[in-house]
Amino acid sequence: MSTLVQLDGIEVDHDGKRAVATTDLEFPEGSFTSLLGPTGCGKSTLLNTIAGFVTPSSGRVLMDGAPVTGPGPDRGMVFQHYALLPWFTARGNVEFALKRFGLPRAERRERALESLDAVGLADAAEKYPTQLSGGMRQRVALARALAAEPRVLLMDEPFGALDAITRARMQRLLTQLWQRTCTTVVFVTHDVAEALALSQRVVVMAADPGRVIADHRLADDPASDRTAPHPLHARIVAQLGTDS
């Protein structure tokens, strides 16, 4: 697979302190990579540099070989806290995100409904966020990102606020969508089991300053048996020095 996103010697400083030490990473097109580590290790900062929300203090972020200078439609973002507009329905939230493309209203509506159907919310298209459960709201957020057909889907602990059952359902849904669309996914989490269940690759990070301490390449497809402990689980827990 060819490299789609490259972090070329990037460093990030924040308030006069080194937040992320020199980092070199490549993300192949169509791959699923998890950035795993404790709070404050810089995993969200790396995600935000790819998104174009954060400018590295040194080094470059490249997308298809071209420098990233800011946010762009080729990169979609899903946050932990939905960020839905309460005065719009589920369909309206997805359509609103498509307005920047200058699409005709009918096409925006069609793409919004297709995306909501893809995440299993066709019947909830006209409901408002207050009428939806937490898992349904996160599916709207995912539909909103996918409707723009990004080449890279960036996800910042998107399931962290969900209960265990809903979280497992969302993980299965994400796996199905990724396998269907072949979108490049970079997924931030502090949950070892989640990273191993979803990913082809797990990049382990540590803090003070944020840095990569291990890079594990897994099988081509996410683990199919989510009930069995992954062989790498104990090794990664030891690398993190935690009881996660």
Side-chain angles (χ1 to χ4, degrees), residues 132-177:
L132 304 175
S133 67
M136 293 171 79
R137 292 177 195 174
Q138 194 58 291
R139 279 190 275 165
V140 175
L142 181 55
R144 180 178 57 190
L146 292 173
E149 300 179 348
R151 298 185 66 191
V152 181
L153 184 61
L154 306 169
M155 309 188 76
D156 194 357
E157 300 199 49
F159 310 144
L162 303 178
D163 64 83
I165 294 174
T166 304
R167 185 172 187 157
R169 289 173 178 165
M170 288 298 298
Q171 289 170 348
R172 287 193 293 272
L173 172 64
L174 176 59
T175 297
Q176 292 165 1
L177 290 172

Side-chain angles (χ1 to χ4, degrees), residues 11 24 39 113 171 178 181 202 207-208 211 225 227 244:
E11 297 177 345
D24 294 283
T39 300
L113 291 174
Q171 289 170 348
W178 170 67
T181 64
V202 177
D208 299 322
R211 64 199 185 279
D225 184 0
T227 62
S244 296

